[in-house]
Each structure stands twice: as structure tokens, then as C-alpha cells.
Amino acid sequence: MTELPMRQREVLDFMREFFYENDQLPPMKEIAKRFRFNSANTAFEIVRALEGKGYIERNAVKKFRFARVLASTKKAGQA
């Protein structure tokens, strides 16, 4: 995994917080609202960058989810 720029790290952290509180990832509009982006497209571009770096992935119906590789790696490191 590559090191993330500050904004990508902040968005990823927000996505994790939102997930733990709501049991789903935030909609792009929610990310845009939280970070005061002018449009949801800016949020989408950041999320796509996170996807490209392997932090999130798409499921069978093309919705974003946290990458399983990271989740299994984290669990192994905690044991």
C-alpha cells in the first residue's frame, strides 16, 4: 500500500467512521458535504484514487467497500 496524501487519508478515515456508525459507506454527497467540496464529483475522484491504491474495492454490483485484503491483514496483525 502506498502512503496517502493528507486529504485522501482524511476521506478514508471519515469513510471508516461513517461505516462504523451506519453500517454502510457514506454516499458521495455526504463526503462532499463533510469536506465542503463544490461537488460530489470531487469526492468521487478521491474515492477512485483510494480504489486505485487498494484501500477500497467494488463489490459484485459495483458498489464500493473496504478492500478485503486490508481487513484480513489488519486482523492478522492484531492477533
Side-chain angles (χ1 to χ4, degrees), residues 23-67:
D23 200 31
Q24 65 182 10
L25 291 178
M28 295 302 145
K29 286 184 178 183
E30 189 70 28
I31 296 171
K33 179 181 171 185
R34 166 65 175 78
F35 292 97
R36 298 181 181 170
F37 297 148
N38 290 331
S39 75
N41 287 336
T42 304
F44 182 73
E45 290 303 317
I46 291 174
V47 171
R48 276 192 36 202
L50 292 170
E51 178 185 21
K53 293 178 180 181
Y55 286 90
I56 59 174
E57 62 189 14
R58 292 180 190 253
N59 64 16
V61 294
K62 303 297 181 193
K63 290 191 175 192
F64 288 110
R65 67 176 180 200
F66 290 112

